[in-house]
């Protein structure tokens, strides 16, 4: 690279902080934090800003699901804790096992607690839950749903040829990969 082309590199490119590794966060290692909603915690490449105004580049080889117990070490050694943002949620009470089955059967992210379930606002699911005699209440809280089958990853929706828009039995057709 010639001297001329080196001088064309902007200060932004040279001085940009980057994520050097993802790690579990510990109280003694937390120096800054970033608050992200559920969708915002699914990243591959994005310019982010901590809650204290520090900009850094998150650039990973593949899509990463960040959880609230994780942190990121930046190129200057700063540890950034990931905090879940407050979101508009539906608190669900009632026959939790039955309600959780119906929510899970729709591949919907759900936080499962001892006495309640939490999902993001969704008028179609709310209608179904009311039909199933659930008690629902609207709240604002951090959303940290249950991970995938092995405790990590995301529950992703899918299209397998039937509608979830009406509160009726969930009938599967031929070719649906999770017939019961």
């Amino acid at each position: 690279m010639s001297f001329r082309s080196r001088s064309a590199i902007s200060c932004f490119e040279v001085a940009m902080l980057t994520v050097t590794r993802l790690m579990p966060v510990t109280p003694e290692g937390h120096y800054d934090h970033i608050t992200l909603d559920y969708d915002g915690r699914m990243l591959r490449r994005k310019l982010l800003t901590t809650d204290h105004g520090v900009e850094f580049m998150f650039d990973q080889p593949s899509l990463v699901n960040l959880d609230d117990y994780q942190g990121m070490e930046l190129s200057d050694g700063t540890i950034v804790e990931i905090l879940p943002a407050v979101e508009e949620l539906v608190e669900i009470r009632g026959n939790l096992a039955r309600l959780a089955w119906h929510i899970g059967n729709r591949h919907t992210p759900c936080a499962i607690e001892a006495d309640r379930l939490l999902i993001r606002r969704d008028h179609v699911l709310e209608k179904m839950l009311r039909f199933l005699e659930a008690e629902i209440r609207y709240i604002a809280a951090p959303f940290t749903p249950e991970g995938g089958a092995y405790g990590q990853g995301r529950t992703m929706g899918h299209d397998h040829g039937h509608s979830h828009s009406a509160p009726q039995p969930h009938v599967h057709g031929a070719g649906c990969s999770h017939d019961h």
Side-chain angles (χ1 to χ4, degrees):
M1 176 183 303
S2 71
F3 178 76
R4 184 173 175 85
S5 62
R6 246 186 274 140
S7 65
I9 297 173
S10 73
C11 293
F12 177 76
E13 292 172 308
V14 172
M16 174 58 58
L17 291 173
T18 59
V19 174
T20 58
R21 69 182 175 125
L22 299 175
M23 56 190 279
V25 75
T26 58
E28 64 274 0
H30 159 190
Y31 300 108
D32 202 344
H33 53 274
I34 186 167
T35 305
L36 300 168
D37 66 12
Y38 181 66
D39 292 332
R41 294 190 310 266
M42 179 70 86
L43 296 167
R44 193 196 81 68
R45 180 176 167 77
K46 188 172 184 179
L47 181 63
L48 298 172
T49 304
T50 69
D51 295 345
H52 293 110
V54 176
E55 284 192 341
F56 63 96
M57 178 56 74
F58 184 91
D59 187 7
Q60 299 295 308
S62 61
L63 201 59
V64 176
N65 177 48
L66 300 171
D67 290 312
D68 60 328
Y69 60 84
Q70 289 179 305
M72 300 175 270
E73 183 175 16
L74 302 185
S75 51
D76 70 352
T78 299
I79 305 299
V80 178
E81 179 182 16
I82 299 159
L83 301 176
V86 171
E87 299 186 53
E88 297 298 317
L89 303 177
V90 179
E91 178 185 75
I92 304 158
R93 295 183 189 272
N95 181 342
L96 296 185
R98 180 175 184 238
L99 298 169
W101 185 88
H102 282 281
I103 291 167
N105 200 38
R106 279 131 184 99
H107 308 279
T108 299
C110 180
I112 302 170
E113 298 179 3
D115 62 344
R116 69 181 185 169
L117 305 172
L118 299 170
I119 63 171
R120 292 189 293 178
R121 298 282 309 264
D122 181 314
H123 70 279
V124 173
L125 289 176
E126 292 164 31
K127 183 176 179 181
M128 176 200 69
L129 292 165
R130 284 187 187 96
F131 178 80
L132 295 169
E133 300 178 350
E135 302 166 31
I136 67 171
R137 182 172 73 107
Y138 300 114
I139 66 169
F143 187 52
T144 55
E146 192 70 23
Y150 299 98
Q152 20 180 294
R154 296 252 176 154
T155 302
M156 300 294 192
H158 69 289
D159 179 11
H160 51 223
H162 60 266
S163 171
H164 296 290
S165 62
Q168 52 189 312
H170 187 76
V171 179
H172 293 264
C176 184
S177 62
H178 60 267
D179 287 339
H180 53 279

